[in-house]
Amino acid sequence: MASEDVKQSESAVSTIVNLAEEAKLARARESVVNAPKHNLALLSICKSLVAGGVAGGVSRTAVAPLERLKILLQVQNPHNIKYNGTIQGLKYIWRTEGFRGLFKGNGTNCARIVPNSAVKFFSYEQASKGILLMYQQQTGNEDAQLTPLLRLGAGACAGIIAMSATYPMDMVRGRLTVQTDKSPYQYRGMFHALSTVLREEGARALYKGWLPSVIGVVPYVGLNFAVYESLKDWLIKAKPFGLIDESDTELSVTTRLACGAAAGTVGQTVAYPLDVIRRRMQMVGWNNAASVVTGDGRSKGSLEYKGMVDAFRKTVRHEGFGALYKGLVPNSVKVVPSIAIAFVSYEMVKEILGVEIRISD
């Protein structure tokens, strides 16, 4: 009798285990997307674009006050200083323009950065795949991985494509950002700014400062991706300082944030002078630009530049070499969390959107 009870108990346990396994398999089948081959690439593209857009919007909004202060420091007239540093500048904006002043231009920045980040991350993934394929064919090694230099090239390509695609929005964002409480509010918003620039200055004006942007985006975006990906690979393979367990193949969010912070610091330091010149060139040709920059209509310095080299020469001659790094402190404070949040947000959104894809004919 006892033997029969034991057998019945074992049978019941076996049945429960089998049912649990079947339920697990059923849930797994439900999570699988049956996709034909021609839809696989589209799903991957959409996932990359959405993840990149969300990453850009979240990271820029988080540091919007520092972004605005950086631009104000870059373009303010040296004969009429209103912003003397990060803390003083933020306090001044709060006192004169209130909470909304800290986020002025952020709407336009997000409208620009969402498609910019989406295109940038997607372009980087596609460029990386193409470069890796060519590298593997050239070396004859199908297991070869991207070197830091090749990642730099892929990142540079992605940065140029994304920046060029959204540059007009960056240009008007710069002008909207420097408008203060005492400035003649020539622009009421992004679309009004775009239409006004087109009408008064022509279509070419929307790309003022494009050349230093292209030159600057190569080391900035290129180094961002190269340093971030190389650091991740090194940490996973070497597992130094006990940061990750021997059995782990993925980095924690905190470690990825640190990698993103390091990448942002390297990239922005190298490319910063070109960012200053770009902002100054964007002000050229704008009616009452001097009064907007100085805030009260007094301007003792010329805002007219014939080109990138001329802008560099006049900036250094009139204000010294240090002027090329105006706003570096708030930018450094901003860029570390911004880049770190962007990379982590991108990977987390991709993980959330990620589903197993089964290819069907």
Side-chain angles (χ1 to χ4, degrees):
M1 188 73 178
S3 176
E4 290 180 0
D5 289 341
V6 170
K7 289 182 179 179
Q8 288 177 355
S9 298
E10 289 178 349
S11 177
V13 170
S14 177
T15 302
I16 292 172
V17 170
N18 289 335
L19 288 172
E21 288 296 325
E22 289 180 6
K24 184 178 179 181
L25 291 172
R27 286 195 300 271
R29 284 193 295 269
E30 289 174 359
S31 67
V32 175
V33 176
N34 289 310
K37 291 181 179 180
H38 64 273
N39 285 341
L40 178 60
L42 182 60
L43 287 170
S44 177
I45 289 171
C46 290
K47 186 168 68 173
S48 295
L49 290 175
V50 171
V54 172
V58 171
S59 63
R60 290 309 174 106
T61 300
V63 297
L66 291 167
E67 174 69 14
R68 188 184 179 216
L69 178 62
K70 179 202 75 171
I71 295 175
L72 288 169
L73 286 167
Q74 286 178 334
V75 302
Q76 75 171 339
N77 193 295
H79 302 289
N80 186 28
I81 301 295
K82 294 191 298 181
Y83 310 98
N84 291 311
T86 305
I87 303 299
Q88 181 274 337
L90 291 172
K91 286 182 177 179
Y92 184 86
I93 295 173
W94 177 274
R95 187 174 67 253
T96 57
E97 302 179 61
F99 179 78
R100 292 184 63 185
L102 294 171
F103 290 86
K104 186 171 290 183
N106 186 57
T108 305
N109 193 27
C110 286
R112 174 192 72 89
I113 204 64
V114 168
N116 179 282
S117 291
V119 173
K120 181 170 62 179
F121 278 103
F122 170 69
S123 299
Y124 176 73
E125 288 195 351
Q126 299 306 307
S128 297
K129 291 177 183 177
I131 292 173
L132 178 60
L133 181 61
M134 289 188 292
Y135 181 60
Q136 290 174 339
Q137 290 176 345
Q138 184 179 6
T139 59
N141 181 9
E142 294 184 356
D143 297 325
Q145 298 297 316
L146 287 174
T147 65
L149 185 61
L150 293 176
R151 287 198 180 101
L152 178 65
C157 291
I160 292 173
I161 293 170
M163 184 275 299
S164 299
T166 59
Y167 191 81
M169 297 176 72
D170 180 69
M171 190 269 189
V172 299
R173 193 265 299 200
R175 292 193 176 186
L176 284 167
T177 299
V178 301
Q179 292 182 156
T180 67
D181 58 323
K182 295 181 180 179
S183 304
Y185 281 81
Q186 184 179 1
Y187 303 131
R188 296 189 296 270
M190 179 179 66
F191 294 108
H192 179 248
L194 285 168
S195 61
T196 303
V197 172
L198 279 171
R199 184 176 64 255
E200 295 183 356
E201 303 174 48
R204 290 183 62 184
L206 293 174
Y207 282 88
K208 285 179 178 177
W210 179 82
L211 181 58
S213 296
V214 169
I215 297 173
V217 84
V218 173
Y220 180 64
V221 178
L223 284 171
N224 277 347
F225 279 110
V227 173
Y228 180 73
E229 296 290 347
S230 298
L231 268 177
K232 276 178 53 183
D233 287 350
W234 177 70
L235 288 171
I236 291 172
K237 293 176 182 177
K239 296 179 172 57
F241 316 119
L243 291 174
I244 57 176
D245 296 332
E246 291 295 328
S247 58
D248 289 344
T249 58
E250 292 292 333
L251 299 178
S252 66
V253 172
T254 304
T255 307
R256 282 185 283 177
L257 279 170
C259 292
T265 301
V266 173
Q268 66 95 24
T269 302
V270 172
Y272 194 77
L274 289 158
D275 188 56
V276 172
I277 296 303
R278 170 185 63 157
R279 291 297 174 201
R280 295 191 168 201
M281 291 181 69
Q282 288 177 348
M283 302 298 124
V284 177
W286 182 11
N287 292 336
N288 299 313
S291 63
V292 171
V293 172
T294 63
D296 60 2
R298 294 196 303 271
S299 176
K300 297 180 181 178
S302 173
L303 284 171
E304 294 298 325
Y305 304 119
K306 297 177 182 177
M308 181 182 69
V309 175
D310 185 51
F312 267 108
R313 185 172 60 249
K314 287 182 177 178
T315 298
V316 174
R317 182 197 305 157
H318 295 150
E319 304 172 52
F321 184 79
L324 296 176
Y325 286 90
K326 281 185 173 180
L328 180 62
V329 173
N331 190 63
S332 297
V333 176
K334 167 193 76 76
V335 78
V336 171
S338 177
I339 296 295
I341 292 170
F343 275 117
V344 175
S345 298
Y346 176 72
E347 294 189 353
M348 291 182 70
V349 171
K350 282 194 71 177
E351 288 173 6
I352 292 171
L353 294 176
V355 291
E356 183 185 352
I357 299 174
R358 178 185 296 155
I359 303 174
S360 61
D361 294 328

